[in-house]
Amino acid sequence: MNSQIPKLPSGVAHTKQESLILDFLFLSEEKLASTFTEYFKENYGWTVAQTRAMCYLKLEGYMPISQLAEKVNSSRQHMTYLMDSLVEKGLAVRSNDPNNRRNVIVEGTEKGLQMLDTGERRLISHMLHGIYNNQKLEPNELMDAIDKVCTFLTDFNINVKRIPEIER
C-alpha cells in the first residue's frame, strides 16, 4: 500500500478503506491494464484502442460497430477509423447486418483472435509464474482473492455521470 495517503481536495485524509480502493484502482491500471495494452503495442504494434476492441470482439464474437464504439468509449467516427485499421491488418472484418441494413457488424478474424489469444496466454503464464513464486502470499489464497474480485467486478458498474462533483 502507498506510504503517502493522497488527500481529498478538502484537505481531509482518506480513510483506510478509501486508501485501499484508491491503491487498488491505481495499481490495477499501472500493473495490469497498462502492462496488458503495452504488451500488444510492443509485440504486435496495436494501439490501446485496437487491443480493447479485439478483446471485446473475442468476448462477444461479433457486434454492431455502434455497440463496440460504446464499449471502447469511442465516437462513431473514430470507431470507423479504428475498424479500418483492424481490417487493414487482417485482424477484423465488417459486414452488413442481415436484420438491419443500416447496422454494420464487426468481428475478429481467425488471425486477429489467434494473435490476441497468444498474447493473453503469454501474459497469463508470466503472471502465474509471479503468483506461484511470490514469497509474501500463499498462491491459493491469492487466486481465491482474484476470483472474489472478478466475481465482484462482473456485476459492478459505476455511472460516472452520477458521481457528485467535489465541493470546492
Side-chain angles (χ1 to χ4, degrees):
M1 194 180 304
N2 238 341
S3 59
Q4 293 184 335
I5 298 174
K7 301 287 183 188
L8 293 172
S10 64
V12 176
H14 290 292
T15 65
K16 185 175 181 176
Q17 286 178 326
E18 291 168 336
S19 293
L20 182 62
I21 289 171
L22 279 175
D23 284 347
F24 175 75
L25 289 171
F26 293 132
L27 290 172
S28 295
E29 171 59 27
E30 178 187 344
K31 302 285 184 173
L32 299 175
S34 293
T35 300
F36 185 80
T37 55
E38 185 66 25
Y39 176 86
F40 286 96
K41 179 181 177 185
E42 291 294 320
N43 290 280
Y44 299 127
W46 295 4
T47 65
V48 171
Q50 288 172 327
T51 302
R52 291 186 71 211
M54 288 302 299
C55 288
Y56 280 112
L57 292 175
K58 178 183 177 183
L59 290 172
E60 302 290 332
Y62 63 90
M63 65 177 59
I65 195 168
S66 57
Q67 185 181 355
L68 183 58
E70 284 178 27
K71 289 197 177 279
V72 298
N73 198 24
S74 177
S75 68
R76 179 78 188 241
Q77 182 180 7
H78 183 260
M79 184 52 61
T80 299
Y81 168 78
L82 178 64
M83 284 311 302
D84 287 344
S85 69
L86 292 174
V87 168
E88 185 178 302
K89 291 181 177 193
L91 304 175
V93 293
R94 55 167 78 99
S95 58
N96 290 325
D97 183 343
N99 299 323
N100 183 347
R101 295 178 50 88
R102 292 177 295 180
N103 279 343
V104 175
I105 300 292
V106 293
E107 63 184 306
T109 62
E110 188 174 330
K111 172 188 172 184
L113 297 175
Q114 182 62 48
M115 289 172 74
L116 181 63
D117 187 65
T118 298
E120 287 173 341
R121 288 178 185 280
R122 288 180 179 160
L123 280 167
I124 290 167
S125 175
H126 185 73
M127 287 184 71
L128 285 171
H129 178 76
I131 288 169
Y132 285 97
N133 289 306
N134 185 318
Q135 301 298 314
K136 296 178 183 176
L137 299 170
E138 166 62 36
N140 290 333
E141 289 177 14
L142 186 53
M143 293 303 291
D144 287 343
I146 290 170
D147 182 50
K148 287 177 183 174
V149 169
C150 289
T151 299
F152 168 74
L153 290 176
T154 298
D155 296 324
F156 186 73
N157 291 308
I158 296 177
N159 183 341
V160 176
K161 294 176 182 171
R162 295 184 121 180
I163 297 174
E165 288 191 33
I166 297 173
E167 295 180 25
R168 299 181 193 267

